[in-house]
Amino acid sequence: MKLNRRLFLGTGAAAAATLAAPTVFADGHSKPRVVVVGGGAGGATAARYIAKDSKGEIAVTLIEPTRMYYTCFFSNLYLGGVKEIDDLGHSYGNLAAGGVNVVHDWAVGVDRDAKTVALAGGGSVQYDKLILSPGIDFVEGAVEGWDLSAQNAMPHAYKGGSQTELLKAQIAAMPDGGTFAMVAPPNPFRCPPGPYERVSMVAHYLKSNNPTAKIIVADPKPKFSKQGLFQEGWGNHYEGMIDWIGEDFGGGNVSVDPAAMTVTIDGEVTKVDVCNVIPAMKAGRIAELAGVTDGNWATVNAADMSTKADADIYVLGDASSQGDMPKSGFSANSQAKVCANAVRGALTGSKVFPAKFSNTCWSLIDTNDGVKVGATYEATGEKISKVDGFISQTGESAELRKATYEESEGWYKGITADMFG
Ligand SMILES: Cc1cc2nc3c(=O)[nH]c(=O)nc-3n(C[C@H](O)[C@H](O)[C@H](O)COP(=O)(O)OP(=O)(O)OC[C@H]3O[C@@H](n4cnc5c(N)ncnc54)[C@H](O)[C@@H]3O)c2cc1C
């Protein structure tokens, strides 16, 4: 066919219109739909960035049961009396004002063929891309004698909010010279330095309020994150108060009796006043219900956090098995930004940048005695791979430790603003 000028112009205009037009989706809707399950470090960040950066081009729905999110980060400082509970609570109002459709409900199922998420309240929500960031649940039977029905007698305080408040109340009610026991979790688990920062902050509180009290830690691991730094700090600040029983001394051979308030470590029964049981962990249940887990965690592609099981379902944060990053709020936030950029690119054709990730975990040992460990990461074909890292050193000056703590304060303000607007 010979093209005349008029036909050529017309064809060109049609082609331009096609390029500019949004993708037409299977059931005829014009705006792509992203559903995010879980409004924590990963989910709130992903929802906020997709809504903000797509400027209304993508419809974003966030499903989260709680009206207030209480961070686990800095919850140990609350146990130590350094922070108040209100310092840890964040609402979803700014996310809603920023264009995210916030639905306070539980996601109870995912139909991958129909691309819908079922809600406990009875409704269902359709998605083109689904992002799951449900955090953790506990492995049943991980600690003999403990299950969720015992969490009021022996709290885990490993999800933020009421459990953290309960543990704090129990510590405050300990009799003089009483015993606080912790059952530490096996790898991999949420926040590798978390249990040991908690031990430090509980000791900090007891030193002022109940100085003859004792802390026992039963640990199934032979070593733990920042061990040299914590043990140096425990020696400096809490001499004789903390007894850490690692794997080599039977720390993994543990059972508890919540009715009798006893802990049995390698056959030795001890009556305790508070028992903080932190069981083995797995991905939040909705990841399993969506069929994207492989064992306890969801395996993902490092470049965009999409799951190996389903290219339209992404898993962020603690629930993912991604490679070298620790399960931390910083990691979840970093992964969420990579995922948000990739999802927006896939749905609207916007530019997708190469995936880069970072993490730092700060821990407070005593007043102004802060330490940190961190690294940067990149996506490889196989996993998220560590590029380089850093860690505080033993014997650092008091000024440097104070500066490290102040840095963590800045980080907390920054990450919560990044998550919730
Ligand atoms: C004691 C302690 C101290 C910590 N300190 C630090 C620290 O200093 N720095 C740091 O970076 N990290 C820290 N962490 C780790 C950090 O809290 C987690 O790694 C981070 O919250 C993981 O983010 P996430 O999005 O995977 O899960 P979460 O932040 O837990 O968010 C999950 C959300 O999903 C929701 N949800 C779950 N299931 C469903 C469902 N079916 N439907 C709808 N919603 C659902 C939950 O209500 C929750 O709001 C700490 C953790 C603990 C326990």
Side-chain angles (χ1 to χ4, degrees), residues 282-283 288 292-299:
K282 60 178 185 178
E288 200 180 319
V292 295
T293 49
D294 179 8
N296 283 342
W297 310 101
T299 43

Side-chain angles (χ1 to χ4, degrees), residues 38 40-42 64-65 69 72-73 106-107 133-135 190-191 318 328-330 411:
E64 163 61 50
Y69 175 83
C72 284
F73 20 112
W106 285 96
S133 194
R190 156 175 284 188
C191 194
D318 293 356
S328 76
F330 198 138
W411 166 79

Side-chain angles (χ1 to χ4, degrees), residues 188-217:
F189 64 96
R190 156 175 284 188
C191 194
Y196 313 98
E197 181 187 51
R198 177 171 291 174
V199 165
S200 310
M201 286 291 98
V202 172
H204 172 78
Y205 175 87
L206 292 174
K207 195 166 95 170
S208 309
N209 296 284
N210 191 349
T212 54
K214 292 271 175 288
I215 297 174
I216 306 171
V217 187

